[in-house]
Amino acid sequence: MRGPGSWWRKKSTPAKVETYTRWSFHLFALLEVPAIGLPAFARAGAGLGASLAAIVTVHAAACAVTASRALHWTRGRRGQPLLLLRALGTLTAVLALAALVVETHATPGGGAGTAAGGVFAGVPAFGAGTLALGTRSRRRAFAVVAGFAAGCGLAAPVLGLPAAAALVTTVLVLVAGGFLAFTSVFSVWLLNAVYELDAARETRARLAVAEERLRFGRDLHDVMGRDLAVIALKAELAVRLGRRGRPEAVEQMIEVQRLAHESQREVRAVVRGYREVDLGAELAGARGVLTAAGIDCSVTGSAPGLPAPVRSALGWVVREATTNVLRHGDARRCAVSLRVTDGLAELSVENDGVPDPPAGDRPGSGLAGLRERLQELDGTLRAGSAGPGRFRLTAAIPLPVTAVTEVTAGTSDTTSTADTTGTRAAALNRETSEAAP
């Protein structure tokens, strides 16, 4: 069973920010009804109050639809909703003028005038804030706000509203509309910045891979270029000597054979160095990458003196586990633990934010490759759930007796935190002394 929040955990960080931004503007539209419509209904009575509340509700719905389409436009998913923007601007102006007419013809000191005045000041403010989403320029966004404020200030005295009330309404529209417009512009800027940062992170990863490939290509060219050139010259010389019946052709071909074997050994050395990983570097890299991705990563434990094959295999485990944490789920915390107990080098990587796997889901090829690497060292790999929304990957590799002694001695020199560590080290030392001749 998937939890109610699984749909949220599956979203990427930019998608979450976009969802939050979208629903924030929908909330602004919903707030227009209780902030303006309900007070108007309460003050103006059943008949006129219901009409004013209906006007505000219609305007709020239009703002919600326009905001949604405008956000799609800012992300480049559809064209600019010019018809909706014009329709919302016209609707805002018409509704504001209708409320102004009601306010000027209402009984002085009555609730109807006050209710209509609130609608006259609130509808342009919310409309201007929403229209700001449909512009790419900050100047145009605030020009829309200034235009609505100036329109309210000019229309109010013409229809008979006192100058003081007209000035107050103009200031309210300018301040409230300016705040909503600023919120719209800032939200769009923040959303675009998040998407650009995510794209930059992906680009940086691709550039790192490309740079590593170029480095490997340069190393391979440096190794093979000279040898292949010499082999070609030696082979050409051997052909010419062979055509003349000279016995030196055999010596040249022997030299070609020697150069070929030497080149083969050098290529294997380059590939071996390319494939080898360092456990310490992988742990530091995992912490840096996860921290940069907003994941709280902690690395505990140390095991100096591990054999090189064991360090390389555990380094691959850290690399694959880090990739899985970044690629799958939405982790907030990741804990990496390295320890040596009972003659085993054990590495554990546990993270949260893992969605429930769908039925029939199979593990990827990365874990299968890790199992093959560990099997060469008689190691094991366990991967599975560690609780609700948690995933744990544990690799264990048995150590030779001499390696256990070196690792235990190094650990005892660098740590002094728990009595259990000393007890296990003493037990391992006794086993080593008993096994020694």
Side-chain angles (χ1 to χ4, degrees):
M1 294 294 293
R2 297 184 180 181
S6 60
W7 68 276
W8 176 260
R9 291 194 296 267
K10 289 182 178 180
K11 290 179 176 291
S12 62
T13 299
K16 290 179 179 178
V17 175
E18 181 177 356
T19 302
Y20 171 78
T21 304
R22 188 176 301 278
W23 284 103
S24 296
F25 285 107
H26 290 169
L27 181 61
F28 284 160
L30 292 177
L31 287 177
E32 185 177 359
V33 177
I36 304 174
L38 294 183
F41 179 79
R43 293 173 181 173
L48 181 60
S51 301
L52 293 175
I55 287 175
V56 174
T57 303
V58 170
H59 186 262
C63 288
V65 174
T66 305
S68 180
R69 298 292 179 85
L71 284 177
H72 281 300
W73 168 67
T74 57
R75 294 303 313 141
R77 299 190 183 104
R78 61 172 62 198
Q80 187 177 13
L82 294 177
L83 293 179
L84 273 177
L85 294 173
R86 294 169 182 170
L88 178 61
T90 304
L91 179 65
T92 301
V94 170
L95 296 182
L97 289 176
L100 178 61
V101 171
V102 173
E103 182 181 5
T104 54
H105 290 79
T107 303
T114 304
V119 174
F120 173 62
V123 166
F126 279 95
T130 305
L131 290 173
L133 283 174
T135 60
R136 295 191 184 276
S137 173
R138 293 190 296 269
R139 294 182 179 179
R140 291 183 179 180
F142 292 110
V144 171
V145 177
F148 273 106
C152 293
L154 294 176
V158 173
L159 294 179
L161 196 68
L167 179 61
V168 171
T169 302
T170 303
V171 173
L172 287 176
V173 173
L174 186 62
V175 173
F179 172 77
L180 293 176
F182 171 79
T183 303
S184 301
V185 172
F186 179 78
S187 299
V188 170
W189 173 84
L190 180 62
L191 180 61
N192 292 332
V194 171
Y195 271 103
E196 290 176 1
L197 288 175
D198 186 69
R201 185 176 62 178
E202 294 181 359
T203 303
R204 183 177 61 182
R206 289 194 296 267
L207 288 177
V209 174
E211 183 179 357
E212 184 65 16
R213 289 175 178 174
L214 289 175
R215 185 193 68 81
F216 180 72
R218 288 194 301 266
D219 293 345
L220 194 61
H221 177 270
D222 294 340
V223 170
M224 292 296 296
R226 176 183 57 84
D227 291 344
L228 289 177
V230 175
I231 289 174
L233 291 175
K234 292 285 186 181
E236 183 180 357
L237 179 59
V239 170
R240 293 181 178 180
L241 292 175
R243 288 177 178 176
R244 297 175 183 177
R246 302 282 296 275
E248 290 86 351
V250 177
E251 296 179 359
Q252 295 297 328
M253 290 307 299
I254 293 175
E255 184 68 14
V256 168
Q257 185 181 16
R258 185 190 66 80
L259 288 173
H261 286 302
E262 183 179 352
S263 299
Q264 188 178 19
R265 287 193 299 269
E266 291 180 351
V267 169
R268 288 176 178 174
V270 171
V271 174
R272 188 182 303 111
Y274 178 74
R275 289 180 176 177
E276 286 181 355
V277 296
D278 181 70
L279 179 59
E282 292 298 328
L283 289 173
R287 177 184 292 175
V289 170
L290 294 177
T291 302
I295 301 173
D296 184 12
C297 180
S298 62
V299 179
T300 58
S302 62
L306 286 176
V310 176
R311 294 179 62 87
S312 179
L314 294 180
W316 278 106
V317 173
V318 174
R319 180 180 294 185
E320 179 65 23
T322 304
T323 303
N324 290 338
V325 171
L326 293 174
R327 183 179 300 172
H328 306 295
D330 184 24
R332 296 182 179 178
R333 295 180 179 84
C334 180
V336 182
S337 175
L338 175 63
R339 59 179 181 176
V340 176
T341 57
D342 299 330
L344 288 176
E346 187 174 88
L347 176 71
S348 176
V349 181
E350 182 176 337
N351 65 282
D352 60 359
V354 179
D356 296 333
D361 189 20
R362 297 180 179 179
S365 59
L367 297 182
L370 287 181
R371 287 191 174 92
E372 293 177 359
R373 289 180 181 273
L374 296 178
Q375 284 176 0
E376 296 178 359
L377 302 174
D378 297 329
T380 59
L381 182 71
R382 299 190 304 274
S385 176
R390 304 188 67 83
F391 184 83
R392 181 184 298 150
L393 180 69
T394 303
I397 302 177
L399 300 176
V401 176
T402 54
V404 172
T405 304
E406 294 176 0
V407 172
T408 305
T411 305
S412 61
D413 292 338
T414 57
T415 59
S416 58
T417 57
D419 295 336
T420 55
T421 304
T423 303
R424 290 172 179 170
L428 291 175
N429 289 329
R430 286 197 300 269
E431 293 177 0
T432 304
S433 61
E434 292 175 358

